Amino acid sequence: MKPNHVVFAAAMASAFFLAPDESQAAEWKKGMSSPEIKQLQQRLKEKGFFTYPQATGYFGAITEEAVKAFQRAMNLPATGIVDDATYAKLKNAPASNDTLAIGSRGAAVSDLQRRLKQLGYFRYPQITGYYGAVTADAVKQFQRANGLPATGRADRATLERLKQKATSQPVESSDVLTIGDRGDDVRELQQQLKQLGYFTYSDITGYYGVLTADAIRRFQRDNGLPVTGAVDNQTAARLASAVKAKTTSPAPIERERLAVRLSIGALGEDVKRIQTKLKELGYFWTDITGYYGTATADAVRRFQQAAKLPATGIVDSETYERLLGQAPPTKVDVIELVADAAELLGTPYVWGGETPEEGFDCSGFIFYLFQQQGVPIPRTVALMWNAGASVSAPEVGDIVFFATTTNGPSHAGIYIGNGQFIHSGASTGVTISRLDQSYWKQRYLGAKRLF
């Protein structure tokens, strides 16, 4: 389908939904587009529930979550669908008088996060000064524990109670290690992660950087811990327990069940079969070689995480059977992809960021949107460039690449038609730009398709 046709199709799709009048909601729900949806988003924003700076008129995942949050606050069934009862409450509910709510920024939010962190409710590794979903969840936990309405918004009563608790019950930060730390403790941590198959970098560096934080996130995700990328006491204890369990020989029946089929260093047709399947599913982005190296181990680990298996990077019997029996991923719905991207306009740029709450770097923005579609893609610009199929002219949903800091690809965005692309720029956050603008035209490398 040509780019313009896809954009027109997105516009026409909304025409199939009946636009409700001002007095009724007639079940507004995810997937709908209309001016009335834009009014709905503005009302939700006034009440402190809609999280992003712009009302888009498209009812996507973020709007659905805002509706659910409002419904919970109003003691309505949290369906995410705006029926007449929800709409009536929304029209009559007073505007938010909360001191702080989702979307707030600044020193007051930083102070709130510090107090919540001191009391053990805010577990994100950094004080961001931005009130996103992570902060709202921490506020809800505090409110429940202190007999306050669990709205997730910091009103005066919540802030006062928080101040009292933080003053009377000081709690030291539970973070043991985080990005920027150095020394023997970090070396020991990296050795543990390497032993468990999470730290794949060849050298034990003693420096806690992005690679170590990513390894910790994978371990935390696999073990049902808060995914912060920082090592608190709970994560450290779970790591020690996992290492101890790994060094203990399994019982004979367990040894048979965990029989290793393939690991680093293996060669042959079985490795080719695994690599081919991983590539088909979108986890493996290099050539089919028949050699089981670190790239194959990383791809296996990504599959294991998605399949909720122990992320060892080793193909045991269970991994082998689950992998070869996996169906190919569904195709990307480019209309939904672009609509979801539009809801993120204005999200700030954060290096290494890949969620709406923390912000996005350019590849993190693309990675997040494809994840929402259930389609795995590489995390970095360079790997996306290597994995994509070149196209002579971009269509909606294709990735456009630019050389901004080096001769090779260093920046990317999603093409949305009419010569435009949406991306997370270092100075702009998530925004829309034109390919024919002088800056981008001079640095354009080409377009590739990742689905």
Side-chain angles (χ1 to χ4, degrees), residues 111-190:
D111 185 60
L112 168 70
Q113 290 171 334
R114 286 190 192 95
R115 293 184 189 275
L116 288 166
K117 195 174 186 71
Q118 180 185 355
L119 295 172
Y121 293 98
F122 185 72
R123 297 186 178 91
Y124 193 73
Q126 296 175 317
I127 302 301
T128 65
Y130 174 71
Y131 201 121
V134 174
T135 306
D137 285 345
V139 169
K140 283 179 187 175
Q141 292 172 28
F142 173 79
Q143 289 169 327
R144 290 191 194 100
N146 289 273
L148 297 168
T151 62
R153 292 167 287 163
D155 55 16
R156 290 184 181 179
T158 298
L159 290 170
E160 185 61 32
R161 185 73 59 85
L162 183 61
K163 184 178 180 182
Q164 293 170 2
K165 288 285 184 180
T167 302
S168 62
Q169 301 177 22
V171 178
E172 293 183 4
S173 170
S174 61
D175 285 350
V176 177
L177 294 169
T178 190
I179 286 178
D181 289 337
R182 299 174 182 272
D184 291 339
D185 287 344
V186 178
R187 286 190 183 88
E188 183 180 352
L189 169 68
Q190 291 171 335

Side-chain angles (χ1 to χ4, degrees), residues 245-264:
K246 186 175 178 66
T247 56
T248 302
S249 297
I253 189 168
E254 282 295 296
R255 194 189 308 275
E256 181 180 350
R257 187 182 71 80
L258 296 174
V260 173
R261 285 178 175 268
L262 298 167
S263 59
I264 287 179

